[in-house]
Amino acid sequence: MKSYTAYPIVEEHQGLTVEVYLKQILKYSGRKIQKLTRQKGILLNKKAVFLQKNVKKGDILRVLTLEDSSYGVEPEPGPIEPLYEDSYLIVLNKPSGLLVHPTGQTSQGTLSNYLAHYYQQQGAICTVRPIHRLDRETSGCVVFAKDSQTQAQLEKFLKEGSLKRTYKAVVDGILDPPVGTINAPIGPHPTKPNRRAINQKGDQAITHYKTVQSFSRASLLELTLATGRTHQIRVHLTHIGHPIIGDRMYGKSSALISGQALHAFSLHFPHPVEPLEIAVEAQFPASFLRVIENYSKIEG
């Protein structure tokens, strides 16, 4: 049985042609629209429609869900921890030390490889589509879309800021003021290609922070992002003199934790299809808790 996704036409999109709505609003490529046309996969109010037909408020555009033909990565057995899952998306808790997706010389042993195997075990061919990334040593929430339209909608939420990401970090020192905003542009490092740096010619980068708990020599922070630059939190916290504990790239290593004490604690976003809100939390990993416990003992 064919599966369709329904899109009610709202007043602000009235007058657009079906083709323009598919391209501009739903972010379909011309190639995909051609494929849908060949399969008679575009319906307006349950009837076949020409691409140049204008839509009006109250219309229901239905688009055939095209099945994926590959996972996009090599399926590989490995542990995953789903925090939320439905027919359109899945949120996983990524452990520290694991890449989200193959990159460079690494083609296996990533969270995406493990997720592909998870799909395979369910008997589904579903391309792995991470909506955002976490650094290898950062743990916590990562959302993946199960189809291209959900991907486009979630990426839109991410760009608009309605996909809200909250991080927790243990940093060196006490922040003054305890609540604030770091607004400093980030660009490539002048001499180290794998790093980022504060650069007045770089992209705007804004990080909001709040001190959750202060110790004598460290602080537990809650952080939210107004922008999503590579290594943004790490670069910003080092810039203000409070590097993340264990961050070897922008601070220094720590005997307390093998990676960095940075955790993607929660995600909150509107569902891309259903009329509901998704709120997901990933509890602190044991390594993160050990850092907190250590500084708590020093405090005592």
Side-chain angles (χ1 to χ4, degrees):
M1 181 181 293
K2 291 184 177 182
S3 173
Y4 289 80
T5 301
Y7 299 96
I9 304 301
V10 297
E11 187 172 359
E12 66 179 296
H13 298 144
Q14 182 165 282
L16 297 179
T17 66
V18 170
E19 183 175 22
V20 169
Y21 186 90
L22 290 169
K23 286 184 175 180
Q24 294 186 3
I25 308 305
L26 300 184
K27 307 301 182 184
Y28 276 101
S29 66
R31 184 177 179 181
K32 191 166 186 178
I33 291 173
Q34 290 178 353
K35 187 174 183 180
L36 285 165
T37 302
R38 288 196 299 270
Q39 297 187 32
K40 298 180 180 179
I42 305 170
L43 306 177
L44 188 66
N45 302 323
K46 298 185 178 181
K47 295 181 180 179
V49 63
F50 293 108
L51 292 177
Q52 299 310 311
K53 172 77 173 178
N54 297 100
V55 299
K56 62 181 184 296
K57 179 183 177 182
D59 284 346
I60 304 294
L61 184 70
R62 290 179 169 83
V63 183
L64 178 66
T65 302
L66 297 174
E67 294 185 359
D68 291 330
S69 59
S70 73
Y71 296 103
V73 297
E74 186 68 27
E76 181 182 355
I80 65 169
E81 182 185 346
L83 300 172
Y84 174 86
E85 182 179 11
D86 61 26
S87 300
Y88 303 97
L89 60 96
I90 184 170
V91 181
L92 300 182
N93 185 11
K94 185 187 89 68
S96 175
L98 195 67
L99 287 171
V100 169
H101 198 271
T103 182
Q105 299 298 315
T106 304
S107 61
Q108 293 185 311
T110 75
L111 190 63
S112 291
N113 295 108
Y114 300 162
L115 179 57
H117 183 261
Y118 174 79
Y119 290 153
Q120 189 179 61
Q121 292 299 104
Q122 294 179 327
I125 298 178
C126 185
T127 300
V128 176
R129 300 176 173 90
I131 301 304
H132 56 108
R133 303 288 198 275
L134 295 178
D135 297 337
R136 183 194 292 267
E137 303 302 337
T138 302
S139 56
C141 300
V142 184
V143 60
F144 295 80
K146 292 186 176 182
D147 61 77
S148 59
Q149 291 317 110
T150 298
Q151 177 184 16
Q153 191 63 29
L154 288 173
E155 288 175 345
K156 179 183 176 185
F157 290 162
L158 185 65
K159 183 177 180 180
E160 295 173 345
S162 53
L163 196 162
K164 301 182 186 301
R165 296 170 286 168
T166 301
Y167 293 78
K168 299 288 180 71
V170 183
V171 304
D172 185 49
I174 311 299
L175 279 77
D176 183 19
V179 177
T181 296
I182 308 167
N183 187 345
I186 293 176
H189 192 283
T191 60
K192 300 174 181 176
N194 292 331
R195 298 191 185 189
R196 298 294 184 269
I198 301 301
N199 184 334
Q200 294 308 312
K201 294 183 179 180
D203 297 317
Q204 183 184 40
I206 301 172
T207 304
H208 305 292
Y209 71 85
K210 178 175 67 176
T211 301
V212 176
Q213 188 175 359
S214 293
F215 310 103
S216 59
R217 292 167 18 195
S219 301
L220 173 62
L221 303 183
E222 178 178 288
L223 304 119
T224 55
L225 301 175
T227 56
R229 310 305 175 199
T230 301
H231 298 177
Q232 178 174 315
I233 291 175
R234 300 164 66 190
V235 172
H236 270 175
L237 289 173
T238 297
H239 174 62
I240 64 170
H242 298 283
I244 298 170
I245 300 299
D247 188 348
R248 291 167 290 180
M249 183 173 286
Y250 297 104
K252 59 183 180 180
S253 61
S254 170
L256 301 175
I257 189 170
S258 59
Q260 61 214 17
L262 179 61
H263 179 64
F265 181 71
S266 68
L267 290 174
H268 186 192
F269 56 94
H271 194 282
V273 179
E274 305 292 346
L276 55 90
E277 293 284 324
I278 305 297
V280 181
E281 291 185 354
Q283 296 305 308
F284 293 139
S287 58
F288 195 100
L289 289 173
R290 282 196 298 270
V291 174
I292 295 175
E293 289 168 1
N294 179 81
Y295 283 104
S296 298
K297 289 177 182 178
I298 294 174
E299 183 78 10

